[in-house]
Amino acid sequence: EMFTSVMSVKQAVFAERQLIDYLRTYLENEIQRLDDIKRFFSRVTSLHSGIYNEPSATIANPIVAFKLVKRLKSEWMNVVHSNEAEENIDALREGYRRMEGSLPMLEDVQGAAQGLMRLQDVYDLHVEGLVRGHFQQITNGDAVDIYKPPVSDTLSGDDCFLVGKVAYDLEDYYHSVQWFEEAVRLFRGTEWSPENEGTLEDALDHLAFSHFKTGNISYALSLSQELLLHDPVNSRVHFNVEKYKKLLDDSPPVTNQSLVLKRPDSTYLRTRNVYEKLCQTKGSQPKHFENPRLFCDFFTNGNPGLLLQPIKRELISLHPYLVLFHNFVTRAEAKSIREYAVPGLRRSVVASGVNQSTAEYRISKSAWLKESPHGVVGKVDRRITMVTGLNVQPPYAEYLQVVNYGIGGHYEPHFDHATSDSSPLYRLKTGNRVATFMIYLSSVEAGGYTAFIYANFSVPVVENGALFWWNLHRNGQGNVDTLHAGCPVIVGDKWVANKWVHEYGQEFQHRCSLNPEE
Ligand SMILES: O=C(O)CCC(=O)C(=O)O
Ligand SMILES: [Fe+2]
């Protein structure tokens, strides 16, 4: 599950370096082998254009005759039956096999492709732009960069074919049409390469079928006809051509306007538009000057530990109550927490009934940290207590959860607190998650905002900063205004750490009230 964490993807770079070494050895050996065969070939051909031009005279020479007989029986056989080619390819395959444990799997390719399509959807990115390595939206007919990466790469016809194929296999023809279009366009202009999975014919075939599935029969027909030019004996395509012609005869082609492709439905359609808008912009949270009750200050919480170095506090929202603490950790602390988490990173799970399971809507890896040898986790725990006054010792809070997002990694709108009595969150027997303290352990080049859906604002990643909010009203009910999400990361390696504080143990810090508004 390499695609679920950028950290794991980074490790794949080293695996590829090793493969490059194997391939280099293979090429050197094969070049040597062919050079040897070429030498034999030149020697034999030169004999035939030289001394053998006088056959009767030459063959009369017993040395020449011996060499001819020996060559035909022995030398040719050695060349023709050599195992060297197999030995070389076997060595290459053995090298690849040894690396297999550190190579991505099919699900990684699928996950990475879905990550690209997620970015395409949530940020309304233009596929043609992505293909050229640009992150662009189309605004009033113009392509506008939402982010310009310092290093960029382009996608090949085969890359696009693969993304299209992932969508196609999920019967998602909305995406497959767009990606196969690009694959066909790029394949048309390039020669086939041995590393490719698809060909122009494959792409035409899949694109035609995708168009057929979305109701664009006349386009499916013309693509199939083009395909027959390349593959005239393909009976399946002949059959399809006849089928499409008949369908078009029976009912006139639909106009292009009525064929606007629709994105596949998702489980969170109700909030999707707001969510995506908040990922693209910061939303409509009032600025401090518009709401005088919002403020920034240097905060000590009356705590001697903070007197010399008060913390920069920014009240971002009143409903829900949301505070951003700037420079809550140092760069060195963030780095050591990230490093300490790496060996424990596992695919993130979400509550599912009484259990936990992986889900499309949360793409990241996470690790639960107990105390670290250098004490940084304890230090951070104590600092959380200083600024919030909350008891963060287990079981009154969970261990620190460190999260690393993957390719297009995200966490769709969710509540941190349990919304059902059977939630696995209650296993600690200290009540629900009353508050969330979330630390940004990295910066992000683009994307990755934390979006508060009903509150209608989002917070861009603030490196080393921390967000704090109450998940529950004082009466113990969940506060629906805390519905929030981690937007897909466009470019970057996003890390956060969550400290979830439970109800028990906080009775004096977060007093109860019967007022459902509090
Ligand atoms: O990554 C983010 O911005 C939000 C993460 C989050 O909500 C969570 O881990 O529960
Ligand atoms: Fe959350």
Side-chain angles (χ1 to χ4, degrees), residues 246-285:
K246 189 166 177 321
L247 281 171
L248 285 173
D249 284 344
D250 292 350
S251 56
V254 215
T255 59
N256 269 346
Q257 267 88 1
S258 55
L259 274 177
V260 177
L261 291 176
K262 241 185 89 236
R263 256 170 74 182
D265 289 349
S266 66
T267 45
Y268 67 111
L269 264 183
R270 228 158 36 88
T271 53
R272 188 166 85 180
N273 289 347
V274 181
Y275 167 55
E276 292 179 355
K277 197 199 83 213
L278 291 175
C279 289
Q280 296 176 22
T281 66
K282 290 192 226 168
S284 66
Q285 179 60 10

Side-chain angles (χ1 to χ4, degrees), residues 362 405 411 414 416 438 449-450 484-486 494 496 498 500:
R362 187 181 190 193
Y405 286 90
Y411 194 170
H414 65 279
D416 284 354
M438 190 187 83
Y449 291 8
T450 305
H484 65 282
K494 179 182 174 187
V496 301
N498 288 305
W500 284 301

Side-chain angles (χ1 to χ4, degrees), residues 98-158:
R98 268 204 298 274
M99 299 296 302
E100 220 137 49
S102 19
L103 297 178
M105 299 195 295
L106 182 62
E107 62 167 7
D108 292 303
V109 184
Q110 291 165 341
Q114 283 171 293
L116 283 181
M117 291 188 270
R118 183 177 311 123
L119 294 179
Q120 176 195 341
D121 292 345
V122 173
Y123 296 99
D124 204 8
L125 300 180
H126 185 214
V127 177
E128 269 171 70
L130 282 175
V131 169
R132 284 180 283 108
H134 300 301
F135 299 91
Q136 294 175 324
Q137 287 174 348
I138 300 295
T139 315
N140 304 326
D142 290 325
V144 179
D145 283 287
I146 60 161
Y147 173 69
K148 278 193 181 179
V151 279
S152 78
D153 202 353
T154 57
L155 294 169
S156 70
D158 199 54

Side-chain angles (χ1 to χ4, degrees), residues 231-257:
D231 189 5
V233 294
N234 191 325
S235 55
R236 187 175 47 78
V237 180
H238 275 291
F239 176 84
N240 284 344
V241 163
E242 291 315 311
K243 180 171 86 180
Y244 298 155
K245 278 184 178 158
K246 189 166 177 321
L247 281 171
L248 285 173
D249 284 344
D250 292 350
S251 56
V254 215
T255 59
N256 269 346
Q257 267 88 1

Side-chain angles (χ1 to χ4, degrees), residues 10-53:
K10 280 185 179 165
Q11 289 163 348
V13 173
F14 299 102
E16 185 159 59
R17 287 206 183 128
Q18 183 65 56
L19 287 181
I20 290 173
D21 284 340
Y22 291 137
L23 191 59
R24 181 182 300 110
T25 309
Y26 170 76
L27 285 174
E28 285 165 0
N29 291 341
E30 281 288 276
I31 288 166
Q32 182 66 54
R33 180 177 71 82
L34 288 176
D35 279 349
D36 296 344
I37 296 176
K38 268 193 212 155
R39 239 181 309 112
F40 172 74
F41 175 79
S42 321
R43 183 158 61 81
V44 181
T45 20
S46 71
L47 285 174
H48 283 262
S49 54
I51 55 175
Y52 281 25
N53 278 340

